[in-house]
Amino acid sequence: MAESCGHDCQLCLDKLCMQKIPVFSSLARPDLEQIALYIVHRDYPKGSIIMAAGARADSITIINTGKLKACRYAEDGKEQIVYLFTEGDFFGEHGLFNDQVTPYHVEALTDVKLCHLYRSDFQAVLQDHPDIALQIIAALSRRLASLEKVFGNQDLDARINQLLLEFSDKYGRSQAGGIFVRLPLSREGIANYLGIARETLSRKLSQLESDGIIKSIGNKTIQIRKPDALLHNSAPE
Amino acid sequence: MAESCGHDCQLCLDKLCMQKIPVFSSLARPDLEQIALYIVHRDYPKGSIIMAAGARADSITIINTGKLKACRYAEDGKEQIVYLFTEGDFFGEHGLFNDQVTPYHVEALTDVKLCHLYRSDFQAVLQDHPDIALQIIAALSRRLASLEKVFGNQDLDARINQLLLEFSDKYGRSQAGGIFVRLPLSREGIANYLGIARETLSRKLSQLESDGIIKSIGNKTIQIRKPDALLHNSAPE
DNA sequence: AGCAAAATTTGATCCAGATCACAGAAATGT
DNA sequence: ACATTTCTGTGATCTGGATCAAATTTTGCT
């Protein structure tokens, strides 16, 4: 195999994308180069439906750049967001390991660059690199734990606090005056993530603001002034 | 290794237990015999706490016989059941693949026979039998799908219908007059599984009964008279 | 079988969050 | 910068399910 060529040839891009993906983190460079040959890169504009609920996924898809949401729609059309995916996350495992249909839509929230690894190639990769299977198990088990945790939290205020903290961790920048968080979703999106009405979220956030805990700056940024105040009221670990 | 001895020596029991466990389903007999040596069997009476939330699991535990519940407790003491485990299910993967603390209690609903496979042994087994990792991925991905599906179902009636159907599949016996389902949980348990109040469940079941769709026979059995009536109102696959 | 304890059902009331309606603010395009 | 459109906040009202309080049924035990 040719060595790295120093500019943006396909192989270099592949390596770039793969190195930031936890699933492949255990691999050495030559292995990465080999696997890179199987990966199909594809770009999608914001708003694309990458996967429709009910379809049968024939590839595992790994996010190189951008954000996506996985969501389900109730009969009355109400959206329930199940996951937010970012760089390094993957989806489509349903179709590959069970013969299951995708249980949610996946939609690009921004322009995205995705890496597809098709069924037969993926199976070959797994044969050669059993460590990858362990990474996938770890990732799925973390994802399970995060869903399981949602169950305990019956209390809405606690769930909102927890989500704000999660956003703060993932998207926040610490500055004088608090943590500035660029929200990945609109108010409506956040409400759909929490499974509540937009108006209810509005009221709850207003309450937090009048308590001096947060401050909203336009529609897309929130300043968290008292992160500690959000730590209480959470369900047990 | 000695060959099968025809009566209930430890090795035979091990094989018995292992053969009905999907995770090991891909293995041939000699492999099973080898792995059986690692497995620690242990019996627990009904009501035992097998695992406490917050503990660090150091083994994967596979259910040989019996039923268990995995549950979390809110601050006010309210129980939320997250999973019902039966024969062939496993738990404890959190501790082994991530350094995560167990997010729920696991309690025996009946007398149970469990198979423990400790961390280092399990890792050795996975090294030798990469197929097992794939089985585990498949199982976790099914478990994820079932949690993900719960999210969409905001409608309580639909969730109850779905649970009744699930119980019917797992525990029901078809007879003249309908499907007779031996419930694995009390009304209170079912309510905690659904995350609602016992009284609410009571009322909903009474409604179903006066609609002629189900009939309760004592507290532990339900006769499903019109299974088809439960099929509607469910969220999309 | 009969009795005490436990679980369930039923009724009455309450309340958090949903829904409806609309006003105000922010984002977007020209 | 302005106008249009889209998003967000707030008040008023409604409602499904929670909670409280008995009454009734089921179960388990001797």
Side-chain angles (χ1 to χ4, degrees), chain B residues 156 195-197 199-200 203-204 218-220:
Chain B
L156 179 55
I196 61 176
E199 294 94 325
T200 303
R203 282 183 247 271
K204 295 289 187 184
N219 289 341
K220 293 184 183 136

